[in-house]
Amino acid sequence: MGRCPICQAWNSLEEKAESKAALPPLHPYTLSQLTEDDEDRKPVGVAEFDRVMGGGLVSGSLVLLGGEPGVGKSTLLLQVADAYAKIWGEALYVSAEESARQLRLRASRLGISSARLSVLNETKLDRIISCVEALRPGLVVIDSIQAISTDDIDSVPGSVTQTRACTYALMQLAKSHAVTIVLVGHVNKQGALAGPKVLEHAVDVVLSFEGERHTAYRLLRAAKNRYGSTNELGVFHMAESGLEEVTNPSALFLSERPEGAAGSVVVACMEGSRPLLVEIQALVSPAPYGGTPRRQTSGVDRNRAAIILAVLEKRAGMQLQSHDVYISVVGGLAVDEPAADLGIALAVASSFKGRHVEPRTVVFGEIGLVGELRQVRHTDKRLTEARKLGFQRCILPGSLSVKRSDMIDLVPVNRLTEALQAGLS
Ligand code: TYD
Ligand code: MG
């Protein structure tokens, strides 16, 4: 303004920056002043979900759930919101993609009944925020972050700038109202969360929901978790009436195992704090003359497999150079534990020699480059799980400290060659 609107003087207005001194001084805490139970965790009672979350939903946190279209994200979160509402109070499910009718159909299919679960059909961020401020729910689900937009930003919903702006606004809302907000995010074909990577930095927890379209089970993992471990795995089964928890995944993953077939081995792995028995299969067949032999893996790291094949060639004298080798973990699972080494080696050897591993035998152990077997952690948990599923014999690394067990025969071995002998005899 050139002229003061009060005294009418010209050029009398001066620009002044707000004084920084007006801000109150900061008071950092010492670590001992912070109590451990500062986080307010609310288990929703869906154990497979709670465990992956690190014990339950934390107030004031922002969670991102990614997954391919049709995997069951909306189903999972509607069930979680219902379970939350039954225990803890108001929950709000914002559906920005589906109509109220579609939501109602799903809800009735899932048998969802909580009176404290509200749904809202809205895509405008500002209206969603005012609704949250009025209703004060403890949990808000936004399905999906790519479908909502704010008028403050002049670009289409789902664009990088829109998604980022909405995520930051929702983070503010989560912190200021101590509400847990779960965002649904679509992933693209490569499995990356569509939209900006910045989303993953901004949120407290990144979950991914995976599963093959043609199989009924679904895996929930945490790719990032500020409140817990990222090693936990949640297993669900998609049924007619929604997702059911799979409390004994080992049994599920082994249910279709071809007993007595060469190339199939059961390994006792750990997924986070939980033991998981998985079947590893290998197919070894002569490579076409003159071609480079193929090495294909699924669920097993290619480089790790290459090392194990090299050890089998060098230390166990197996001529794999002229053979194609395919290795896969059954059920779309991935194992990245060294303990699976012995299972991979035994599966390959079994297929190569055309001799099956006795079906009640389970194995685990890390393989070293000179063909030695190395101890792995959680021996007891692995054995307990194997025993629970009716396995009678376990081949494991054993130089020291292996406790005798009366329920399962332990076959401790020090070298890969001994393990192959024990496994294929
Ligand atoms: P949905 O939760 O809509 O997936 P997303 O939100 O990840 O896109 O679930 C999609 C699939 O799940 C759909 O193909 C149908 C199936 N489904 C069931 O098999 N049982 C059920 O009870 C429900 C609700 C869905
Ligand atoms: Mg959906």
Side-chain angles (χ1 to χ4, degrees), residues 104-329:
R104 202 176 52 239
L105 280 176
R106 176 182 285 120
S108 67
R109 205 171 152 180
L110 300 176
I112 277 176
S113 55
S114 172
R116 296 190 292 188
L117 171 61
S118 317
V119 297
L120 176 70
N121 247 143
E122 184 56 63
T123 58
K124 287 274 170 258
L125 179 72
D126 315 307
R127 293 173 59 108
I128 294 170
I129 291 178
S130 19
C131 178
V132 170
E133 282 169 344
L135 188 71
R136 303 305 295 261
L139 170 67
V140 177
V141 174
I142 310 276
D143 189 359
S144 68
I145 183 69
Q146 279 108 342
I148 62 168
S149 62
T150 165
D151 290 335
D152 299 345
I153 304 270
D154 191 20
S155 65
V156 294
S159 66
V160 173
T161 33
Q162 272 294 359
T163 311
R164 185 187 315 186
C166 292
T167 302
Y168 278 106
L170 289 166
M171 181 166 65
Q172 295 301 323
L173 183 70
K175 307 284 178 228
S176 61
H177 286 67
V179 48
T180 308
I181 302 185
V182 183
L183 310 174
V184 171
H186 295 296
V187 300
N188 58 22
K189 282 274 181 296
Q190 288 77 43
L193 277 163
K197 195 78 180 157
V198 67
L199 230 82
E200 294 190 20
H201 298 300
V203 302
D204 300 304
V205 181
V206 179
L207 301 176
S208 73
F209 203 37
E210 304 157 12
E212 305 279 329
R213 245 163 193 280
H214 44 275
T215 62
Y217 45 85
R218 302 283 182 266
L219 307 177
L220 182 69
R221 296 174 192 278
K224 162 182 176 177
N225 193 347
R226 287 187 178 146
Y227 310 110
S229 149
T230 53
N231 292 323
E232 300 292 349
L233 176 74
V235 184
F236 295 88
H237 179 263
M238 180 66 91
E240 276 304 303
S241 54
L243 290 159
E244 289 164 1
E245 294 181 65
V246 176
T247 43
N248 189 350
S250 298
L252 174 75
F253 293 126
L254 297 181
S255 61
E256 287 169 283
R257 189 162 58 107
E259 295 198 352
S264 158
V265 173
V266 176
V267 185
C269 290
M270 296 295 297
E271 276 286 347
S273 58
R274 176 160 72 167
L276 185 65
L277 298 193
V278 296
E279 180 191 351
I280 295 184
Q281 292 188 343
L283 178 66
V284 180
S285 65
Y289 183 72
T292 317
R294 296 167 64 109
R295 269 92 178 90
Q296 209 111 301
T297 64
S298 111
V300 170
D301 179 51
R302 261 182 80 98
N303 296 325
R304 192 71 206 161
I307 292 175
I308 294 168
L309 294 183
V311 175
L312 279 172
E313 285 176 8
K314 181 84 178 173
R315 309 288 170 198
M318 272 182 221
Q319 303 294 313
L320 297 165
Q321 303 91 322
S322 53
H323 285 74
D324 291 340
V325 179
Y326 305 92
I327 302 169
S328 100
V329 181

